[in-house]
Amino acid sequence: EVQLVESGGGLVQAGGSLKLSCAASGFTFDDYAMGWFRQAPGKEREGVLCISGSDGLTYYADSVKGRFTISRDNAKNTVYLQMNRLKPEDTAVYYCAAMKPWRIIPADNRWDADYWGQGTQVTVSS
């Protein structure tokens, strides 16, 4: 059974930092790209960042470039999202996701998930 379990969400003031973790199990971690999506109230879910499984290539939404970083530890089957200089508009439920490499479309800077975590709330106060 595939499981993606996020942790690390919470409430933070604008300008602050948070680090999310996602522990994966039930599939061959190295074979999958890993990503983070978010969904704010009343908005569609959007891809925030993703990282390939093999060569560590990363893809970022323009809204988080320079502030958010994604990394993975294949030995621990874990992916991380480091969020710095947080803004109130970053408030959302953040979802960890796993995807086969061909689900990343670099030309469109878009990626789609095969598996989803349950989500963790991040709230940034102004």
Side-chain angles (χ1 to χ4, degrees):
E1 179 190 5
V2 172
Q3 284 195 317
L4 298 172
V5 181
E6 302 101 334
S7 60
L11 174 64
V12 64
Q13 286 190 330
S17 298
L18 272 179
K19 186 173 184 177
L20 306 183
S21 300
C22 172
S25 61
F27 61 98
T28 304
F29 190 71
D30 297 17
D31 289 346
Y32 281 75
M34 298 297 297
W36 291 91
F37 292 73
R38 67 184 180 186
Q39 187 166 22
K43 294 190 177 180
E44 291 187 357
R45 190 177 298 187
E46 64 168 341
V48 180
L49 313 92
C50 72
I51 183 168
S52 67
S54 54
D55 50 16
L57 286 176
T58 56
Y59 303 87
Y60 294 78
D62 289 341
S63 57
V64 304
K65 255 179 200 174
R67 299 189 298 122
F68 291 12
T69 304
I70 188 171
S71 60
R72 62 189 293 162
D73 185 337
N74 288 349
K76 295 183 178 179
N77 285 7
T78 301
V79 63
Y80 304 97
L81 174 58
Q82 177 67 48
M83 302 184 290
N84 298 326
R85 293 187 282 135
L86 281 158
K87 304 176 182 180
E89 51 263 43
D90 294 318
T91 295
V93 177
Y94 282 73
Y95 297 90
C96 176
M99 64 212 76
K100 280 293 193 179
W102 52 82
R103 300 275 262 166
I104 299 173
I105 306 172
D108 295 341
N109 200 38
R110 184 172 64 86
W111 44 95
D112 297 310
D114 292 300
Y115 304 114
W116 295 94
Q118 82 286 355
T120 186
Q121 177 70 45
V122 171
T123 302
V124 184
S125 63
S126 57

